[in-house]
Amino acid sequence: MILVPGSLLGQITAAAETAFPGECCGLLAGRARGEDMEITRAVASPNISQDGANGSFEVEPRLRLDLMRRLDGGDERIVGHYHSHPGGGSEPSQRDINMAFEPELVWLIVPVIDGRAAGAKAYFVDREGGGFREAGLRIVD
């Protein structure tokens, strides 16, 4: 189960709505909590993809390196990333599947329809199936 504080999910959905009709993106930091993954931070990134307004995202590499340095020595680590699907559903796109290079990372996807975010879902890469498998997402405070 992926545990995400309501305040962080609120930040992510606000970023998704603000970026519409383009895609927002960012990194997720967290820690293991028993069998669950607890999201502790959402760090917004500029979408540096050449096609950011047309269904793709790319997190700023320097942002990732800076976050890794800040987390070094603690119990938090980068556990995933988030992005929005403007005008689309919460399921991973074919482009998402093609770009899934790190199977241990959580993919949090926020659909945005007519400028309003709705129904975020979390996924892990399905190493054997060549796609994604949905992870449970629970909002906590």
Side-chain angles (χ1 to χ4, degrees), residues 7-133:
S7 60
L8 287 183
L9 189 56
Q11 290 173 11
I12 293 167
T13 57
E17 291 175 352
T18 299
F20 185 82
E23 283 197 33
C24 77
C25 61
L27 296 171
L28 301 170
R31 63 178 69 91
R33 189 168 145 190
E35 293 184 13
D36 297 329
M37 176 65 63
E38 176 185 29
I39 305 300
T40 56
R41 301 180 199 211
V43 182
S45 172
N47 184 350
I48 64 167
S49 170
Q50 297 289 332
D51 298 323
N54 297 311
S56 81
F57 77 97
E58 185 176 347
V59 172
E60 170 64 53
R62 182 172 187 93
L63 179 100
R64 183 176 179 148
L65 292 172
D66 289 345
L67 181 57
M68 288 169 64
R69 284 187 192 109
R70 284 197 310 267
L71 299 176
D72 191 36
D75 66 344
E76 291 176 288
R77 62 182 175 82
I78 294 174
V79 297
H81 44 74
Y82 65 87
H83 72 282
S84 60
H85 278 183
S90 59
E91 295 76 27
S93 67
Q94 185 61 49
R95 181 171 271 166
D96 293 336
I97 293 167
N98 295 343
M99 299 302 292
F101 299 118
E102 297 174 283
E104 69 280 359
L105 294 183
V106 173
W107 286 62
L108 182 69
I109 300 175
V110 180
V112 183
I113 301 167
D114 296 327
R116 303 283 302 177
K121 291 187 179 180
Y123 298 88
F124 284 109
V125 173
D126 181 354
R127 295 178 190 178
E128 295 162 12
F132 286 85
R133 64 180 166 77

